PDB file of all heavy atoms in Angstrom:
ATOM      1  N   SER A  18      54.813 105.385 123.719  1.00  0.00           N
ATOM      2  CA  SER A  18      54.974 104.566 122.521  1.00  0.00           C
ATOM      3  C   SER A  18      56.434 104.136 122.424  1.00  0.00           C
ATOM      4  O   SER A  18      57.332 104.967 122.587  1.00  0.00           O
ATOM      5  CB  SER A  18      54.578 105.367 121.271  1.00  0.00           C
ATOM      6  OG  SER A  18      54.727 104.595 120.111  1.00  0.00           O
ATOM      7  N   GLY A  30      41.620  91.111 148.689  1.00  0.00           N
ATOM      8  CA  GLY A  30      41.982  91.378 150.071  1.00  0.00           C
ATOM      9  C   GLY A  30      43.225  92.229 150.268  1.00  0.00           C
ATOM     10  O   GLY A  30      43.517  92.641 151.392  1.00  0.00           O
ATOM     11  N   SER A  55      42.580 106.645 141.488  1.00  0.00           N
ATOM     12  CA  SER A  55      41.306 107.330 141.299  1.00  0.00           C
ATOM     13  C   SER A  55      40.442 106.511 140.334  1.00  0.00           C
ATOM     14  O   SER A  55      40.932 105.668 139.588  1.00  0.00           O
ATOM     15  CB  SER A  55      41.518 108.745 140.739  1.00  0.00           C
ATOM     16  OG  SER A  55      42.196 108.695 139.505  1.00  0.00           O
ATOM     17  N   SER A  60      34.451 110.703 143.519  1.00  0.00           N
ATOM     18  CA  SER A  60      35.098 111.970 143.830  1.00  0.00           C
ATOM     19  C   SER A  60      36.331 111.841 144.711  1.00  0.00           C
ATOM     20  O   SER A  60      37.245 112.652 144.646  1.00  0.00           O
ATOM     21  CB  SER A  60      34.086 112.936 144.485  1.00  0.00           C
ATOM     22  OG  SER A  60      33.588 112.372 145.681  1.00  0.00           O
ATOM     23  N   ILE A  69      43.846 111.140 159.617  1.00  0.00           N
ATOM     24  CA  ILE A  69      42.522 111.056 159.045  1.00  0.00           C
ATOM     25  C   ILE A  69      42.226 112.298 158.209  1.00  0.00           C
ATOM     26  O   ILE A  69      42.461 113.430 158.637  1.00  0.00           O
ATOM     27  CB  ILE A  69      41.462 110.903 160.160  1.00  0.00           C
ATOM     28  CG1 ILE A  69      41.674 109.560 160.874  1.00  0.00           C
ATOM     29  CG2 ILE A  69      40.058 110.970 159.584  1.00  0.00           C
ATOM     30  CD1 ILE A  69      40.762 109.347 162.058  1.00  0.00           C
ATOM     31  N   ASN A  70      41.702 112.083 157.019  1.00  0.00           N
ATOM     32  CA  ASN A  70      41.349 113.165 156.111  1.00  0.00           C
ATOM     33  C   ASN A  70      40.045 112.791 155.430  1.00  0.00           C
ATOM     34  O   ASN A  70      40.013 111.823 154.639  1.00  0.00           O
ATOM     35  CB  ASN A  70      42.453 113.393 155.090  1.00  0.00           C
ATOM     36  CG  ASN A  70      42.149 114.570 154.159  1.00  0.00           C
ATOM     37  OD1 ASN A  70      41.009 114.980 154.002  1.00  0.00           O
ATOM     38  ND2 ASN A  70      43.189 115.134 153.569  1.00  0.00           N
ATOM     39  N   ASN A  73      39.844 112.178 151.527  1.00  0.00           N
ATOM     40  CA  ASN A  73      40.579 111.126 150.858  1.00  0.00           C
ATOM     41  C   ASN A  73      40.417 109.799 151.586  1.00  0.00           C
ATOM     42  O   ASN A  73      39.957 109.757 152.729  1.00  0.00           O
ATOM     43  CB  ASN A  73      42.097 111.457 150.800  1.00  0.00           C
ATOM     44  CG  ASN A  73      42.402 112.683 149.960  1.00  0.00           C
ATOM     45  OD1 ASN A  73      42.780 113.726 150.500  1.00  0.00           O
ATOM     46  ND2 ASN A  73      42.224 112.582 148.666  1.00  0.00           N
ATOM     47  N   ILE A  81      41.261  96.721 148.086  1.00  0.00           N
ATOM     48  CA  ILE A  81      40.869  97.052 146.712  1.00  0.00           C
ATOM     49  C   ILE A  81      39.514  96.433 146.328  1.00  0.00           C
ATOM     50  O   ILE A  81      38.904  96.892 145.353  1.00  0.00           O
ATOM     51  CB  ILE A  81      41.923  96.567 145.713  1.00  0.00           C
ATOM     52  CG1 ILE A  81      42.034  95.030 145.702  1.00  0.00           C
ATOM     53  CG2 ILE A  81      43.297  97.179 146.020  1.00  0.00           C
ATOM     54  CD1 ILE A  81      42.929  94.460 144.618  1.00  0.00           C
ATOM     55  N   GLN A  86      35.436  95.448 142.186  1.00  0.00           N
ATOM     56  CA  GLN A  86      34.195  94.783 141.841  1.00  0.00           C
ATOM     57  C   GLN A  86      33.200  95.769 141.190  1.00  0.00           C
ATOM     58  O   GLN A  86      32.370  95.358 140.372  1.00  0.00           O
ATOM     59  CB  GLN A  86      33.567  94.148 143.086  1.00  0.00           C
ATOM     60  CG  GLN A  86      34.348  92.966 143.625  1.00  0.00           C
ATOM     61  CD  GLN A  86      33.998  92.595 145.046  1.00  0.00           C
ATOM     62  OE1 GLN A  86      33.112  93.211 145.658  1.00  0.00           O
ATOM     63  NE2 GLN A  86      34.682  91.596 145.604  1.00  0.00           N
ATOM     64  N   LYS A 150      70.467 108.381 114.749  1.00  0.00           N
ATOM     65  CA  LYS A 150      69.701 109.633 114.616  1.00  0.00           C
ATOM     66  C   LYS A 150      70.194 110.732 115.525  1.00  0.00           C
ATOM     67  O   LYS A 150      69.878 111.903 115.315  1.00  0.00           O
ATOM     68  CB  LYS A 150      68.218 109.365 114.940  1.00  0.00           C
ATOM     69  CG  LYS A 150      67.428 108.647 113.871  1.00  0.00           C
ATOM     70  CD  LYS A 150      66.039 108.276 114.356  1.00  0.00           C
ATOM     71  CE  LYS A 150      65.300 109.432 115.027  1.00  0.00           C
ATOM     72  NZ  LYS A 150      63.927 109.039 115.431  1.00  0.00           N
ATOM     73  N   LEU A 161      71.041 105.788 129.491  1.00  0.00           N
ATOM     74  CA  LEU A 161      70.868 104.599 128.626  1.00  0.00           C
ATOM     75  C   LEU A 161      71.300 103.316 129.344  1.00  0.00           C
ATOM     76  O   LEU A 161      70.703 102.266 129.157  1.00  0.00           O
ATOM     77  CB  LEU A 161      71.617 104.767 127.319  1.00  0.00           C
ATOM     78  CG  LEU A 161      71.018 105.798 126.379  1.00  0.00           C
ATOM     79  CD1 LEU A 161      72.016 106.143 125.250  1.00  0.00           C
ATOM     80  CD2 LEU A 161      69.728 105.275 125.744  1.00  0.00           C
TER      81      LEU A 161
END
Side-chain angles (χ1 to χ4, degrees):
S18 180
S55 59
S60 59
I69 295 175
N70 183 338
N73 296 110
I81 65 173
Q86 290 163 2
K150 284 173 48 178
L161 288 166

